[in-house]
Each structure stands twice: as C-alpha cells, then as structure tokens.
Amino acid sequence: MSALPVREKLAILSDAAKYDASCASSGSAKRDSLKSGGIGSTEGMGICHSYAPDGRCISLLKILLTNFCIYDCSYCINRSSSNVRRARFTIDEVVRLTMDFYRRNYIEGLFLSSGVIRSPDETMGEMVEVARRLRLDEKFSGYIHLKTIPESSPELIEKAGLYADRLSINVELPTDEGVRKLAPEKKPETIRLSMARLRQKMEEKAAPTLRTKKRERFAPGGQSTQMIVGADKTSDDGILQASARLYGSYHLRRVYYSAFSPIPDSSSSLPLQKPPLMREHRLYQADWLMRFYGFSQPEILDGSSDGMLDLAIDPKLAWALRNRGRFPVDINRADREALLRIPGLGTKVIAKILATRRHRRLRLEDVGRLCHSIAKLRPFIVAEGWSPGTLTDTQGLRDKIVRSCEQLSLF
Ligand code: SF4
C-alpha cells in the first residue's frame, strides 16, 4: 500500500473523511472551473471549511490517516468488512502535505481522523505524533482538530490536547442501544468516560497555576462530538435529549448531526434510504435554540405527537404556533428573553432592536428592514401602528406562512 502515490492516497483518504460532519461545507453546490477555464473549485481534494474558536471561517485539510480499520461499525464505509480501496498515510506524509498546503495558502489548518489500525493506542499515537511534529518541529501555528479514539489511553488523549486546538470524540449514535447494535466493538461507557476525562483535563488546565499565574494551553477550542441521524429509529426528541445531556455533562462546544448515508453491502439492520437532509438542518436549528435562545430541550417538541421536528417549518416557528397564547409580543417593550422566542428574529437583529428602541419606537417596517422577511413574525408581534388582531389565532396560519416563505424564496 505504501507504493500508492501520495496524490492517490489523498484522493482516497479525503473522500473517506467526507462522512465526518464536523466541517460545514457539505451543503454547498458543486462547482468546478476545469471546463470553464476560470479558477477555483468547491471540490478541491480534502479541503473543507470550518469555524475557528474565534468565529473565523477557515479552510482545513480534512483527511483520514488511514481508512483501514479493525472495527466493523455497520454504518461506516471504512468498516473492516467493507470492500473499499484502502490507503494509509505515513506521519511524514501528513506533516508534509499540511505544510505544503499551508505554505501555498490553500489551508489554514488540519482536520485529522482515522480508522483504527492494529490498536486504538497505536493509531492515536500516530495522530498525536503528526500534531506534535507540526507544532514543535515545523512551528505550525494553524488550526488542528484531532478526532480522538475513545478506547486509547488517557495519557495519549491528554497529549493530543497539548497540540490540538480542538478534540472530538464521536458518540456515534443517540442511544446506547444503537451503539451496541450497530457498533458492537464500541462501548458507550468508554466514550462517556473519555469525554468526562477530557472535560476534567480542560478545566484543570484552564485554572491559572499558582506558580506562573497563567492558564496552560490545552485544546482551547474545546471538545465536540458527532451523532449519526437516521441510522436507527431514534426520534428527533430522543436525539435532542442526548444532545442536551452531552452539553450539560461534558460542556461540549458543538454536537454535529450527520445524516446517515446508505453504503454498499450494508447490514440489513440499516435503512435503505438516507433521511432527508432537511432533518439534519432542523436538528441544527433546534440545537441552536437550546444553546443561544434560552429554550430547554423538552420545550422544543412539547405537544408534538411523534417527537419529530416539522420539516416544512423551523423549530422556533413550530413552537410559536403550538404556544400562540404567549403571543403577540410587544417589540417595543418585551425583554430580550421574550424577543428571543419570536419566530424569524435572530440574536443579531434582537441586539439591533434593543439598541434602536432606546431612541424611538419601532414600527413593523423598521423590523422588516432589520430582518430578511416579516412573513414569519407579523402574526407574533405588536409594533408601533401594528397589531396582528386575530391573525395570531387564525386557523391555517402555518400553511399561510409556509406559502409566503416559499414565494419569497423564489426571488
Ligand atoms: S471505528 Fe471509525 S472508521 Fe472504524 S468502522 Fe467504526 S466508525 Fe468506521
């Protein structure tokens, strides 16, 4: 396998990494300038976009160290029984690729994951060595995200935190039952224990030491995880419960949701079709409500009959329609918490509303100028010269809003 040219390994191992959702470019349209004679492509091998801890969007080289794996997780294209082409980078190759791409300004960082070769410790040891060499030998100051292997030793995971900006440990599936069924070699308890250790280590290192009064650098971008959606029968409510537990117990920065992709020769326990991508999107929106909009997890789907998010409308609008008694909200008087509940209003727009209303009262048109559209929020607010009257309680309001949003999206 070492006879494969690096370019070919890059094609195999960047393609194998695309199932990891921790980067945000997956929804973008495919564009390539090869035929047009222009420049640029959205399909550059292994290059994806992610967000740094300070909010910057950065390009990452996203690859696996290897797609050989001794495990046989049934939802994974790289499982040991899968018939895919295999490749394995050496440590030196990953370091050189990262530095070459970085010097040419193609990337600002590295996202490195791997199948498990021989043992979790051996694989993790190689990944840590890549990060160590980049930081210490090459003096690389770019972003490094390492996907850690929960079964590897705590010492190795601790070392990874010294060199990486962010570490992640995949919980894989929303329920323990799902993990046992579809990834029998993985133990949910071990995954949780690794996350707990990582949280503890981050807190220890974040405390200023008595001697230096400085915080030690240890995975400053925190830890994240990924959950596969639609490989088992867990409802959206079950998925959000799992996320709420993860955020609460391990102080994760992000939970990523990755819609299950059917793979060739897969086990009969897996669905034949992938879930709609919109489901993944709605889960991200619901996750956002828990983290930035003051919603508790049970509130998001309270009163829903099947525990599933409505695919046609966003979860905040769905919640408002089920809780019409809490509306309309007076845009000129309500506190920030009440404003955060209004469909169609994001945190930035709310900050602008709060700043503007110190000087004058806002009309519906003023709010319209601050956000993309007032179609969603008209029935839910009172503004200077505007009251929705009976509109808030109108039957068929959901369908009316869906229609006006669809019309707007045509322009
Ligand atoms: S351990 Fe990771 S790479 Fe290996 S089969 Fe499971 S999910 Fe795939």
Side-chain angles (χ1 to χ4, degrees):
M1 189 52 64
S2 58
L4 275 183
V6 171
R7 198 185 156 82
E8 220 164 307
K9 290 187 190 180
L10 183 59
I12 296 171
L13 293 171
S14 60
D15 190 63
K18 75 183 176 200
Y19 298 94
D20 207 299
S22 315
C23 302
S25 63
S26 53
S28 75
K30 289 184 179 161
R31 223 177 305 120
D32 196 327
S33 57
L34 278 180
K35 292 188 193 108
S36 69
I39 56 167
S41 161
T42 56
E43 297 175 77
M45 266 191 297
I47 298 182
C48 74
H49 298 97
S50 189
Y51 288 90
D54 62 5
R56 272 176 320 127
C57 178
I58 53 176
S59 316
L60 297 179
L61 172 63
K62 181 179 169 186
I63 47 171
L64 299 189
L65 185 64
T66 177
N67 64 344
F68 283 102
C69 192
I70 53 172
Y71 289 1
D72 202 42
C73 309
S74 35
Y75 47 81
C76 177
I77 189 83
N78 302 317
R79 68 194 189 282
S80 57
S81 59
S82 168
N83 195 21
V84 286
R85 268 187 93 201
R86 308 276 176 174
R88 180 179 174 179
F89 279 129
T90 62
I91 294 169
D92 199 44
E93 283 167 342
V94 178
V95 171
R96 264 190 288 126
L97 268 178
T98 310
M99 292 311 296
D100 285 353
F101 279 14
Y102 190 70
R103 287 195 185 104
R104 287 181 208 164
N105 227 0
Y106 294 167
I107 58 158
E108 290 154 272
L110 170 70
F111 175 96
L112 186 62
S113 182
S114 183
V116 182
I117 23 165
R118 286 201 278 274
S119 74
D121 272 357
E122 183 157 345
T123 313
M124 195 66 224
E126 290 198 10
M127 291 169 76
V128 171
E129 182 57 15
V130 168
R132 190 199 68 77
R133 282 181 50 184
L134 282 169
R135 289 288 191 235
L136 303 187
D137 299 351
E138 305 292 335
K139 309 279 180 263
F140 176 73
S141 307
Y143 181 81
I144 300 180
H145 181 158
L146 292 185
K147 185 128 276 185
T148 60
I149 299 166
E151 295 79 14
S152 56
S153 73
E155 293 73 31
L156 275 171
I157 296 186
E158 188 176 338
K159 261 193 181 171
L162 297 178
Y163 307 120
D165 292 278
R166 174 170 282 185
L167 298 177
S168 48
I169 300 175
N170 284 357
V171 291
E172 310 292 354
L173 294 150
T175 63
D176 287 5
E177 194 197 339
V179 177
R180 288 196 191 99
K181 188 169 155 210
L182 300 176
E185 288 118 331
K186 293 189 173 175
K187 296 198 171 41
E189 310 74 37
T190 312
I191 297 172
R192 285 196 286 272
L193 183 63
S194 297
M195 284 181 167
R197 283 204 187 110
L198 208 47
R199 175 190 167 177
Q200 196 188 5
K201 203 39 82 186
M202 281 171 190
E203 285 170 356
E204 261 172 49
K205 303 274 185 185
T209 62
L210 274 180
R211 201 163 52 84
T212 63
K213 306 267 187 251
K214 267 193 183 163
R215 293 181 171 84
E216 277 186 74
R217 190 184 163 89
F218 186 87
Q223 62 168 325
S224 60
T225 194
Q226 172 177 296
M227 234 186 266
I228 297 166
V229 172
D232 64 359
K233 292 202 165 68
T234 313
S235 66
D236 292 341
D237 196 35
I239 292 172
L240 293 171
Q241 278 175 34
S243 302
R245 273 197 303 274
L246 290 166
Y247 283 124
S249 309
Y250 309 112
H251 289 188
L252 297 188
R253 287 287 170 90
R254 287 290 300 268
V255 174
Y256 290 94
Y257 305 95
S258 171
F260 165 71
S261 305
I263 44 176
D265 313 318
S266 64
S267 129
S268 57
S269 51
L270 288 169
L272 293 171
Q273 280 196 328
K274 57 159 127 189
L277 261 187
M278 186 50 83
R279 186 176 174 201
E280 193 185 281
H281 181 61
R282 296 290 180 227
L283 282 166
Y284 277 115
Q285 289 178 318
D287 183 286
W288 216 252
L289 292 185
M290 293 196 287
R291 291 190 298 136
F292 303 112
Y293 287 77
F295 281 73
S296 68
Q297 180 273 318
E299 271 181 302
I300 293 175
L301 275 157
D302 62 351
S304 135
S305 52
D306 57 358
M308 296 301 280
L309 295 164
D310 190 330
L311 295 183
I313 55 174
D314 70 78
K316 191 160 37 146
L317 175 58
W319 176 84
L321 288 165
R322 289 196 307 271
N323 291 276
R324 297 185 204 196
R326 296 178 62 152
F327 296 95
V329 166
D330 188 337
I331 210 93
N332 287 298
R333 300 170 64 126
D335 59 18
R336 184 172 182 273
E337 282 63 42
L339 294 176
L340 284 169
R341 301 271 165 160
I342 300 173
L345 287 191
T347 50
K348 285 188 185 150
V349 173
I350 290 168
K352 285 183 195 157
I353 289 173
L354 290 171
T356 312
R357 76 185 196 187
R358 279 194 219 118
H359 313 291
R360 63 185 176 86
R361 293 178 64 76
L362 286 126
R363 305 182 65 80
L364 188 62
E365 308 85 81
D366 298 324
V367 183
R369 273 191 286 273
L370 293 175
C371 33
H372 294 306
S373 133
I374 51 166
K376 268 188 212 171
L377 56 88
R378 274 174 81 241
F380 300 103
I381 65 166
V382 167
E384 185 70 16
W386 166 256
S387 165
T390 54
L391 181 61
T392 321
D393 297 314
T394 321
Q395 269 200 353
L397 180 59
R398 174 190 175 280
D399 297 341
K400 245 190 218 166
I401 298 177
V402 171
R403 272 198 304 276
S404 18
C405 291
E406 275 170 6
Q407 276 162 9
L408 270 171
S409 70
L410 297 174
F411 297 101

